[in-house]
Amino acid sequence: MHVYLLPTEILFHIFTVDDDKKSYNQRPFLAQLAVLARTCRKFKEPALDILWKHVYGFKPLISCLPEGVSNTDMAGNLTLRRPLLAGEWRLIHQYARRVHSFAVNGSQLDMIDNHVMQAFMSAPSPTSLFPNLRSLHWYDDREHFFPLLRTLLGSTITSIRMGFTSTLPSFAYSALLVSLGGRCPSIRELDCVCVGDSPESSDAICKALSGLRELCLLDTGALSPREFLRLASLPSLKSLYFRLRTYDTHELQSNPTISPKLKEVDLIASSQSVVEHFLRCIRLPSCRSAKVYIDYDDLDYEPEVPYDPLHIPDFIVSLSECFSPALEKLHVEFEFDFSAYIGEAIIANRSYVLGFNAVASLMPFYRLTDLRLDWICTSAINDASLKALVQSWPQLEQFHFGGAAYWLVPPSMTFVAFVHLIRYCPRLHTVQMSFCATPVDYDGDPFFFETIPNEKITTLSVGMSPISDPSAVVYILLRLLPKLGNVDYLGWLDDNILVPPPFEHLEDGWNAVDEILAANNQHRLK
């Protein structure tokens, strides 16, 4: 069968064969689509549908107009010489109806003048300028463009992202958010600041959002605990991403407040103590995914220490109290620059070492598949302690445990701990941890040889793991991880400062391991 006899659906699939690579953003791909659209009538419709599916800025629509209708003014902005006629609107609609995703930023809005803006706001269509729009990204907070933004809001939209840089919401912004409930009732994902210019406006916004019966994901800005609870009560909401404001501890009642419907929480705060108090006052029994990010950038000063080790156990306990054992994903990350502590004694200070008791409260999370605690100093956790932990998390697929930080305290875990991890967590495909990679003679040891090898792990991150005898290390690693291709490690940050033992051979040792693994893989491929 000749290609032009194929059904339109098949042609559409052929034309989008590289769609997963976002090829529609590449000039060669766009040029090829334009050629296809002009080749024959059969190709025209599917090629145009793909060409116009994702549009950035208003310039493409203006470019469709006949010569002499649009112009460029003295400032370089696109303008119109006269209002558009009915036939010209039909021409624009021929392309605008194909748009499913529209994004515009401040620089693109600066390219159009008031004539263009007034024309689009006066479009004769009873629906939105883009009648089949699904996704809208608007990255500009200037209020005089809000009327233009409103012309794009329609009932077909399911995802909106408003990237506003202003930290102080205005009444106009509050009014815009309140209008979403009536204009875009089918929204499922909303990314914007959902706090108004006054408490009354915030209440109005929340009431309006509660009318969005399909809203399941909300990515918002800074919230107080009360604002969080108000938004978390939205009837269909499942995922909430927000930044927690520093607040008066008396703002939350002593009895924990239950928010039963949320399944995913992504929280950013500037202090572990603030997060701890917040989590102790909230209960999220249905939550399956939790991310807590401590971002010191919000502070007016640079913290003198990475974290307060005396508060970490209580911080971890607050996680176990807030979330139920059904939690599947837990990420806790601290944002600090280790290069600031290289010349200090902090990174080699044993007071920052956390032991088994600090993380034991996480053991009830028996359904964990993804755990990230890569910032902590795990050097006091030994082989037996890790065994107890990983036996509690048999479904782990991703395990980041103290392997992303430059701690210079020798780890207590050895290859025995690594064997426990492989034995009790057979679904693992990603591992990042620090341990003492000193080979032990395991010949004839059933503990080692009865452990089923893991063929899912192809890259291993070992952090600041001391190493000796790289050849023997490779032998053990390949016995446990037969598909291992390379090892990642943390290199030393400052060549002018001597690395203390037993870390002095870390870089050379793991580089040797990588070379042996590379040679082994080449031999295996032959």
Side-chain angles (χ1 to χ4, degrees):
M1 180 183 292
H2 199 281
V3 65
Y4 62 75
L5 297 178
L6 293 172
T8 301
E9 294 78 8
I10 301 298
L11 289 175
F12 188 88
H13 177 74
I14 293 173
F15 294 167
T16 57
V17 67
D18 289 331
D19 198 48
D20 59 327
K21 301 177 182 177
K22 305 296 182 185
S23 296
Y24 48 75
N25 273 339
Q26 300 175 2
R27 288 179 179 269
F29 183 73
L30 295 176
Q32 291 169 6
L33 284 176
V35 171
L36 286 172
R38 300 187 187 99
T39 300
C40 66
R41 293 180 181 179
K42 186 70 175 179
F43 291 172
K44 179 180 177 180
E45 291 302 312
L48 286 178
D49 284 344
I50 302 167
L51 191 63
W52 284 88
K53 184 177 181 181
H54 306 274
V55 172
Y56 304 90
F58 291 97
K59 184 177 179 179
L61 285 180
I62 301 172
S63 302
C64 297
L65 294 171
E67 185 177 354
V69 177
S70 63
N71 193 15
T72 302
D73 64 17
M74 296 294 293
N77 300 322
L78 292 172
T79 186
L80 297 176
R81 293 181 174 179
R82 58 169 173 79
L84 301 182
L85 302 176
E88 291 158 351
W89 278 117
R90 286 194 295 270
L91 180 62
I92 286 180
H93 179 73
Q94 176 184 344
Y95 300 105
R97 65 180 174 82
R98 306 174 192 272
V99 178
H100 286 189
S101 172
F102 180 77
V104 64
N105 57 35
S107 61
Q108 291 168 327
L109 288 173
D110 289 336
M111 293 175 60
I112 61 174
D113 74 347
N114 190 56
H115 288 182
V116 175
M117 181 174 166
Q118 293 297 328
F120 284 140
M121 289 166 52
S122 305
S125 174
T127 59
S128 164
L129 179 62
F130 302 113
N132 296 308
L133 192 64
R134 302 291 186 271
S135 174
L136 172 62
H137 290 188
W138 186 277
Y139 301 102
D140 192 275
D141 56 6
R142 288 172 289 180
E143 294 182 8
H144 67 273
F145 282 114
F146 283 5
L148 179 58
L149 170 58
R150 288 192 184 93
T151 66
L152 306 182
L153 301 176
S155 59
T156 60
I157 293 179
T158 59
S159 174
I160 293 181
R161 181 173 187 178
M162 292 189 284
F164 292 176
T165 57
S166 176
T167 57
L168 297 176
S170 64
F171 184 85
Y173 176 77
S174 300
L176 178 66
L177 285 187
V178 170
S179 72
L180 291 180
R183 294 174 179 270
C184 309
S186 301
I187 292 179
R188 295 181 56 82
E189 299 180 2
L190 179 60
D191 182 349
C192 66
V193 177
C194 294
V195 178
D197 61 300
S198 67
E200 294 79 8
S201 292
S202 295
D203 288 339
I205 291 171
C206 188
K207 290 178 181 178
L209 294 182
S210 66
L212 298 173
R213 298 298 177 180
E214 298 182 35
L215 182 64
C216 57
L217 186 151
L218 179 59
D219 188 344
T220 186
L223 300 177
S224 69
R226 292 187 185 278
E227 291 164 341
F228 165 82
L229 292 172
R230 187 187 295 121
L231 292 174
S233 66
L234 295 176
S236 60
L237 194 65
K238 303 301 180 188
S239 302
L240 181 56
Y241 304 167
F242 70 105
R243 181 180 290 271
L244 182 63
R245 282 201 189 104
T246 301
Y247 62 93
D248 186 342
T249 56
H250 298 294
E251 185 174 339
L252 284 175
Q253 58 186 12
S254 56
N255 294 328
T257 302
I258 299 176
S259 187
K261 296 181 179 180
L262 282 181
K263 294 188 178 297
E264 181 183 15
V265 172
D266 194 321
L267 181 158
I268 302 175
S270 59
S271 165
Q272 68 189 55
S273 60
V274 171
V275 175
E276 178 189 336
H277 182 270
F278 175 76
L279 294 178
R280 287 187 183 275
C281 297
I282 302 293
R283 294 293 180 269
L284 302 172
S286 299
C287 192
R288 298 294 179 267
S289 173
K291 292 184 180 180
V292 178
Y293 188 77
I294 308 300
D295 184 4
Y296 293 134
D297 288 343
D298 281 355
L299 298 177
D300 296 330
Y301 58 91
E302 186 74 24
E304 295 181 359
V305 296
Y307 58 78
D308 187 342
L310 297 179
H311 290 168
I312 292 298
D314 289 337
F315 173 72
I316 299 294
V317 168
S318 71
L319 294 168
S320 65
E321 292 177 346
C322 177
F323 304 106
S324 79
L327 191 70
E328 297 174 4
K329 180 178 182 177
L330 177 61
H331 286 193
V332 180
E333 299 182 53
F334 277 64
E335 173 62 30
F336 48 80
D337 184 5
F338 264 92
S339 62
Y341 305 117
I342 289 300
E344 309 286 339
I346 291 175
I347 55 177
N349 192 332
R350 289 186 173 273
S351 65
Y352 292 96
V353 175
L354 300 177
F356 172 76
N357 291 334
V359 296
S361 58
L362 300 180
M363 292 174 67
F365 294 140
Y366 66 96
R367 294 180 61 179
L368 276 179
T369 61
D370 185 354
L371 177 63
R372 181 182 288 270
L373 295 173
D374 53 10
W375 47 274
I376 64 175
C377 184
T378 58
S379 297
I381 297 177
N382 58 26
D383 298 338
S385 298
L386 187 77
K387 177 182 178 181
L389 291 171
V390 297
Q391 281 180 317
S392 302
W393 307 320
Q395 299 187 52
L396 276 179
E397 297 176 8
Q398 299 186 60
F399 184 61
H400 298 78
F401 198 61
Y406 293 85
W407 297 110
L408 292 180
V409 180
S412 300
M413 289 185 287
T414 68
F415 261 118
V416 173
F418 192 75
V419 174
H420 286 317
L421 180 64
I422 301 304
R423 168 175 285 193
Y424 294 111
C425 303
R427 299 171 62 181
L428 277 170
H429 59 76
T430 302
V431 174
Q432 181 191 70
M433 62 180 286
S434 294
F435 62 98
C436 189
T438 301
V440 178
D441 185 6
Y442 287 113
D443 289 341
D445 188 343
F447 165 72
F448 180 69
F449 282 96
E450 291 177 6
T451 298
I452 299 175
N454 183 310
E455 297 189 354
K456 303 180 186 69
I457 299 175
T458 58
T459 298
L460 177 64
S461 297
V462 297
M464 295 292 288
S465 294
I467 180 174
S468 62
D469 196 347
S471 298
V473 167
V474 171
Y475 170 77
I476 298 174
L477 287 176
L478 288 178
R479 170 62 185 81
L480 298 170
L481 312 174
K483 297 294 181 67
L484 185 64
N486 67 286
V487 172
D488 293 331
Y489 63 90
L490 296 178
W492 188 231
L493 292 172
D494 192 336
D495 293 336
N496 296 321
I497 299 178
L498 295 177
V499 185
F503 300 96
E504 67 269 33
H505 303 302
L506 185 148
E507 293 191 19
D508 292 339
W510 288 112
N511 281 335
V513 167
D514 255 348
E515 292 174 1
I516 299 172
L517 287 174
N520 177 75
N521 289 332
Q522 288 182 354
H523 178 74
R524 186 178 59 185
L525 291 175
K526 291 180 181 180

